[in-house]
Every structure is written in structure tokens, then in C-alpha cells.
């Protein structure tokens, strides 16, 4: 019903910046919330930031992640994650997710659709 495609990952030095994009297609009118998750090998999937599609309100994680900003362009059905001051600990596969409004939007179970992921590697 909804397809999500991430792009923009790559290799960057510590202190550098990247901007990830997620393009939604299909039944995009059903999307209330979109968000970014990340997962490093052997670790659980971690919520980064989310955004309500109509109002553009940011959904924050329990643990603050400095240097990151989320935004969306409704005309392009595209969500962005601007990552500044990147650290090696930010290295992970970053996933785009979409779903309807509900509780616990900082957990993977709140989202119905997922992209394939894009690799972000922060290393010198």
C-alpha cells in the first residue's frame, strides 16, 4: 500500500554532515507519521526522530540525539534527516518508516511500512 525508498547514506568523516531522504509512494494519504530509525549490527533498532505529516510536529526520542534535524516536503512526499556533527557512534543502517498516529511513536511497532535502509558510516 505504501512504498518507502531511502537514499543519501555513505561514508563521512567525524564532524561531517549527511542528508538522508525518504520518498513515499502508493497510498500516501494514509500516512499520519513518518520517522527515522537506525540499527547497528547486533543491536536493537533505535528511534532517531519522527514527524507528523500534516502538522510537521517533531516526535523526539527518549534519548536526545544532538545534531540531527527532521523535515518533510509534502508536495514531494519526501522526508529528510539532516545529520550534522556526525560521530562514529552514529554508524548504522538508517531506515525510513511510516504509519498512522498512535501511542509510542518512538517504537518500531507503531509503524506499518519500512524502507530498505541506507548505510551511514562515520570513520576517518
Amino acid at each position: 500500500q505504501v512504498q518507502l525508498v531511502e537514499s543519501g547514506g555513505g561514508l563521512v568523516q567525524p564532524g561531517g554532515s549527511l542528508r538522508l531522504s525518504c520518498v513515499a509512494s502508493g497510498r500516501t494519504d494514509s500516512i499520519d507519521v513518518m520517522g527515522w530509525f537506525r540499527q547497528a549490527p547486533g543491536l536493537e533498532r533505535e528511534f532517531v526522530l519522527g514527524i507528523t505529516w500534516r502538522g510537521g510536529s517533531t516526535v523526539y526520542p527518549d534519548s536526545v540525539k544532538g545534531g540531527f534535524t527532521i523535515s518533510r516536503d509534502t508536495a514531494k512526499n519526501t522526508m529528510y534527516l539532516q545529520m550534522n556533527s556526525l560521530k562514529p557512534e552514529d554508524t548504522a543502517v538508517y531506515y525510513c518508516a511510516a504509519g498512522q498516529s498512535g501511542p509510542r511513536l518512538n517504537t518500531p511497532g507503531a509503524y506499518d511500512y519500512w524502507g530498505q535502509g541506507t548505510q551511514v558510516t562515520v570513520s576517518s
Side-chain angles (χ1 to χ4, degrees), residues 12-54:
V12 64
Q13 294 184 348
S17 299
L18 285 173
R19 189 180 76 161
L20 306 183
S21 300
C22 175
V23 180
S25 61
R27 298 183 62 186
T28 57
D29 289 345
S30 66
I31 297 173
D32 293 323
V33 179
M34 295 185 69
W36 291 97
F37 290 77
R38 67 185 183 184
Q39 188 168 23
L43 300 180
E44 296 293 321
R45 191 162 297 189
E46 177 190 26
F47 179 71
V48 179
L49 284 170
I51 191 166
T52 62
W53 203 245
R54 291 186 177 181

Side-chain angles (χ1 to χ4, degrees), residues 3-102:
Q3 295 80 44
L4 305 173
V5 179
E6 306 100 327
S7 62
L11 175 64
V12 64
Q13 294 184 348
S17 299
L18 285 173
R19 189 180 76 161
L20 306 183
S21 300
C22 175
V23 180
S25 61
R27 298 183 62 186
T28 57
D29 289 345
S30 66
I31 297 173
D32 293 323
V33 179
M34 295 185 69
W36 291 97
F37 290 77
R38 67 185 183 184
Q39 188 168 23
L43 300 180
E44 296 293 321
R45 191 162 297 189
E46 177 190 26
F47 179 71
V48 179
L49 284 170
I51 191 166
T52 62
W53 203 245
R54 291 186 177 181
S57 299
T58 300
V59 181
Y60 294 97
D62 292 338
S63 300
V64 176
K65 298 173 177 61
F68 289 12
T69 304
I70 193 169
S71 62
R72 88 275 191 267
D73 186 335
T74 57
K76 297 181 178 180
N77 288 329
T78 302
M79 176 180 64
Y80 304 96
L81 182 67
Q82 180 67 47
M83 303 186 294
N84 299 325
S85 301
L86 283 164
K87 306 178 180 67
E89 64 196 62
D90 296 318
T91 296
V93 177
Y94 283 71
Y95 296 92
C96 173
Q100 296 184 342
S101 296

